[in-house]
């Protein structure tokens, strides 16, 4: 069992930066690939970024590539999402999730553990 808690969301202006954190419980954090997803009002949840269990591989949605960076600190059982050059269309509830595998994956059906979400609002 893995419990995930996100933090770091907030209200910012376009062009600003935010760093989201995802703290995980359990001793097997370093065994799971992790991911960030987001859900905007009235839209389905969408993939944002994923990172392998070791942290050696990452993959991003085209909409955030070059602006967002996913990374993890397995010693601290924590994953991060550094978000730069934020845009109003990045406004959403951001969720972290743990997959049932060690390699990167974009399909949310492979993620079995989810956090409660943190709100990110970007004003224009």
């Amino acid at each position: 069992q893995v419990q995930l808690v996100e933090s770091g969301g907030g209200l910012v202006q376009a062009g600003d930066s935010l760093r989201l954190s995802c703290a995980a419980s359990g001793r097997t954090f370093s065994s799971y690939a992790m991911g960030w997803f987001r859900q905007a009002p009235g839209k389905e949840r969408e993939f944002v970024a994923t990172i392998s269990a070791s942290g050696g591989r990452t993959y991003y949605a085209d909409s955030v590539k070059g602006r967002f960076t996913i990374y993890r600190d397995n010693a601290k059982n924590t994953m991060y999402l550094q978000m730069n050059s934020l845009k109003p269309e990045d406004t959403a509830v951001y969720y972290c999730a743990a997959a049932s595998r060690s390699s990167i994956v974009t399909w949310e059906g492979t993620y079995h553990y989810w956090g409660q979400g943190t709100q990110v609002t970007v004003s224009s």
Side-chain angles (χ1 to χ4, degrees), residues 16-60:
D16 285 350
S17 298
L18 273 179
R19 188 181 76 163
L20 305 183
S21 299
C22 174
S25 65
R27 296 178 294 175
T28 58
F29 175 76
S30 60
S31 300
Y32 299 108
M34 299 289 293
W36 287 99
F37 292 77
R38 67 186 182 186
Q39 188 167 21
K43 295 187 177 181
E44 293 188 351
R45 188 161 57 189
E46 65 175 1
F47 165 77
V48 174
T50 179
I51 187 167
S52 63
S54 68
R57 291 201 67 189
T58 59
Y59 185 80
Y60 299 89

Side-chain angles (χ1 to χ4, degrees), residues 6-97:
E6 302 98 333
S7 61
L11 172 63
V12 297
Q13 293 186 333
D16 285 350
S17 298
L18 273 179
R19 188 181 76 163
L20 305 183
S21 299
C22 174
S25 65
R27 296 178 294 175
T28 58
F29 175 76
S30 60
S31 300
Y32 299 108
M34 299 289 293
W36 287 99
F37 292 77
R38 67 186 182 186
Q39 188 167 21
K43 295 187 177 181
E44 293 188 351
R45 188 161 57 189
E46 65 175 1
F47 165 77
V48 174
T50 179
I51 187 167
S52 63
S54 68
R57 291 201 67 189
T58 59
Y59 185 80
Y60 299 89
D62 287 342
S63 58
V64 306
K65 199 173 298 181
R67 299 188 298 121
F68 291 10
T69 302
I70 187 173
Y71 61 103
R72 64 193 295 165
D73 185 339
N74 285 345
K76 295 182 178 180
N77 279 15
T78 304
M79 177 182 66
Y80 304 93
L81 184 68
Q82 177 66 44
M83 306 186 294
N84 298 329
S85 302
L86 282 161
K87 305 175 181 179
E89 51 263 44
D90 295 318
T91 295
V93 176
Y94 283 71
Y95 299 90
C96 70

